[in-house]
């Protein structure tokens, strides 16, 4: 299964926060992802306990392909 990992820089601290999304379109280009990430950042709905916006500036996006390999499974 492919997942999309996106990273955002917080508003005041130099901290990068990550968000992992499942069941995503896997053919999005960089410009499209930047546009959607900017829309998420503009919402301003993700903040820490001090009220700082944690998804303020988009900084990265990558697709991660995971494959499950069953070693054994008892019934």
């Amino acid at each position: 299964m492919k997942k999309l990992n996106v990273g955002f820089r917080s508003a005041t601290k130099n901290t990068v926060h990550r968000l992992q999304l499942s069941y995503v379109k896997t053919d999005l280009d960089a410009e499209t992802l930047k546009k959607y990430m900017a829309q998420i950042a503009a919402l301003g709905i993700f903040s820490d306990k001090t009220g700082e916006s944690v998804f303020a500036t988009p900084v990265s996006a990558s697709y991660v392909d995971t494959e499950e390999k069953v070693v054994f499974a008892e019934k």
Side-chain angles (χ1 to χ4, degrees):
M1 167 191 283
K2 281 196 176 185
K3 296 182 180 186
L4 177 62
N5 289 340
V6 293
F8 293 85
R9 191 169 312 282
S10 62
T12 57
K13 299 175 187 166
N14 200 17
T15 307
V16 175
H17 299 274
R18 307 227 181 266
L19 179 65
Q20 185 176 71
L21 304 166
S22 301
Y23 307 106
V24 295
K25 290 182 76 171
T26 58
D27 59 349
L28 301 174
D29 61 12
E31 290 305 313
T32 303
L33 284 170
K34 286 179 185 178
K35 180 181 81 170
Y36 289 138
M37 290 173 70
Q39 289 176 357
I40 291 170
L43 292 173
I45 58 174
F46 298 100
S47 60
D48 64 8
K49 62 184 176 183
T50 65
E52 176 190 18
S53 178
V54 294
F55 292 165
T57 307
V59 294
S60 67
S62 60
Y63 287 108
V64 177
D65 195 3
T66 58
E67 182 179 326
E68 180 179 343
K69 293 183 181 181
V70 178
V71 177
F72 73 93
E74 293 185 27
K75 294 182 180 183

